[in-house]
Amino acid sequence: MKKLLLLFLACSVLFGCCGDCNKTSTTKKRKIALHGYVYRKVMTLEETVLEAKMLGADGVVCTSTQKIAKRFGNTKFTKNMTAEQKAFVKKLFADNGIEFVSYGLWDIKKGETPDMYLSFCKEMGIPVFTWEGNWDKAQMWNDASKKWGVKVAIHNHQKNPKNPKYMHWNPEALWEVIKDKPYLYACADNGHWTRSSLDTPQGYRTLRGRLAAIHFKDPAVFGAENKTDATIGEGVLDIPKCLATLDELGYDGFLVLENECVSDNPTETMRKSIKYLREH
């Protein structure tokens, strides 16, 4: 009888411990990135990567508006970098455990082709090129994306009453462009959606999860014409609902922090935003 009692107690402890082991946090480990565009005034790309590591971010978005490093003077991150500069950037990211997130954004100029940019992304190991050009060229970009194995994500700015032909801000219109082009995605900027008086979770749903990256913002004012980006969790958006919607859609890409109101001193805002996302 005593042996049976001891066996029962042992099993209770064992299963109790297993029960505790199965109690894992429901908070998803989100992939968070800093946008080089936000840091362009105060830091080089090299310094931004070190900042990302220090703040606990996972990736950095590269932009042609940012200088590479002080040792290279005024040279910016473009497809025209030298072999030495490209090797330096690759090593910089690898040594610090920071991922390339995306590069862009613009349309091709006269005499250029998508190949010029997507081949550069392929060479650097950048998985996404953000494009915001004439949708008449969408099939050309879709074909180039398939050729190079680099996702092309269409970015949106806010609605512009002075330019009614600009429809990138409208998720429904964007979906019609990408739905039959399997290599085209959206790079949803929910800050510009909010300034366009759109509902962010509904925008994600409209795009059916075809999201290669998200420029994640939390404006302080809904429908404001000007930029009013706040620290994540301190603006007007229901951020938990936004995140829950992305989880339901199976989004596992980066949340790119692109607060455009703190370019003169971004560090503390980014620190608080990353902390909020780590806890939600």
Side-chain angles (χ1 to χ4, degrees):
M1 192 69 183
K2 188 179 290 186
K3 289 182 178 180
L4 287 173
L5 181 58
L6 290 173
L7 180 61
F8 175 76
L9 290 172
C11 289
S12 298
V13 172
L14 176 62
F15 284 110
C17 289
C18 287
D20 290 339
C21 290
N22 289 329
K23 291 179 182 177
T24 57
S25 172
T26 57
T27 303
K28 179 178 179 179
K29 175 62 168 66
R30 304 188 185 282
K31 295 167 67 175
I32 302 171
L34 304 182
H35 201 310
Y37 180 78
V38 174
Y39 283 85
R40 72 195 186 283
K41 292 182 179 180
V42 294
M43 292 187 189
T44 63
L45 176 58
E46 179 182 25
E47 292 166 328
T48 304
V49 168
L50 296 177
E51 169 106 327
K53 182 178 181 180
M54 183 267 292
L55 294 178
D58 308 291
V60 168
V61 170
C62 297
T63 167
S64 61
T65 63
Q66 188 176 37
K67 297 175 184 178
I68 305 170
K70 290 180 179 178
R71 73 190 69 183
F72 295 121
N74 292 324
T75 302
K76 296 181 179 179
F77 185 93
T78 73
K79 62 182 177 56
N80 299 318
M81 291 188 298
T82 65
E84 177 192 2
Q85 291 162 350
K86 291 176 184 177
F88 168 81
V89 173
K90 287 183 183 179
K91 189 173 186 301
L92 169 68
F93 275 72
D95 287 352
N96 289 283
I98 298 298
E99 293 185 50
F100 286 105
V101 178
S102 62
Y103 175 55
L105 53 87
W106 56 78
D107 195 10
I108 52 176
K109 300 175 182 178
K110 185 176 181 180
E112 295 184 336
T113 66
D115 290 0
M116 297 172 66
Y117 295 101
L118 300 193
S119 60
F120 169 66
C121 288
K122 184 74 171 181
E123 178 185 4
M124 295 299 296
I126 300 173
V128 177
F129 180 83
T130 49
W131 170 59
E132 189 169 0
N134 191 321
W135 285 350
D136 290 344
K137 299 183 177 73
Q139 187 61 53
M140 178 175 66
W141 281 95
N142 181 77
D143 295 344
S145 174
K146 180 180 179 181
K147 175 182 176 181
W148 292 103
V150 174
K151 292 181 179 179
V152 172
I154 301 177
H155 178 267
N156 65 278
H157 277 86
Q158 70 196 79
K159 183 178 181 179
N160 183 357
K162 296 180 181 179
N163 183 14
K165 291 183 179 180
Y166 178 82
M167 294 298 293
H168 294 59
W169 63 273
N170 187 331
E172 293 180 359
L174 177 54
W175 174 248
E176 290 302 313
V177 173
I178 69 175
K179 67 179 182 179
D180 297 322
K181 299 177 182 64
Y183 299 96
L184 292 188
Y185 295 77
C187 174
D189 189 315
N190 64 332
H192 292 302
W193 277 353
T194 303
R195 287 190 278 280
S196 301
S197 300
L198 297 179
D199 179 77
T200 289
Q202 183 56 46
Y204 294 150
R205 293 186 187 283
T206 298
L207 293 169
R208 277 72 160 180
R210 281 277 290 281
L211 301 158
I214 293 176
H215 289 181
F216 205 68
K217 302 171 181 174
D218 192 2
V221 181
F222 187 84
E225 181 177 347
N226 298 323
K227 298 170 182 176
T228 63
D229 301 334
T231 300
I232 300 297
E234 297 181 8
V236 297
L237 291 183
D238 185 341
I239 297 298
K241 183 178 180 181
C242 293
L243 295 173
T245 302
L246 291 173
D247 291 344
E248 290 171 16
L249 293 169
Y251 179 71
D252 61 357
F254 277 92
L255 300 176
V256 179
L257 298 177
E258 194 194 15
N259 188 314
E260 297 184 68
C261 297
V262 295
S263 293
D264 292 329
N265 186 19
T267 299
E268 194 55 32
T269 295
M270 295 303 179
R271 187 194 308 277
K272 291 179 180 178
S273 295
I274 290 172
K275 183 178 185 294
Y276 180 94
L277 290 174
R278 292 295 182 221
E279 295 174 350
H280 292 78

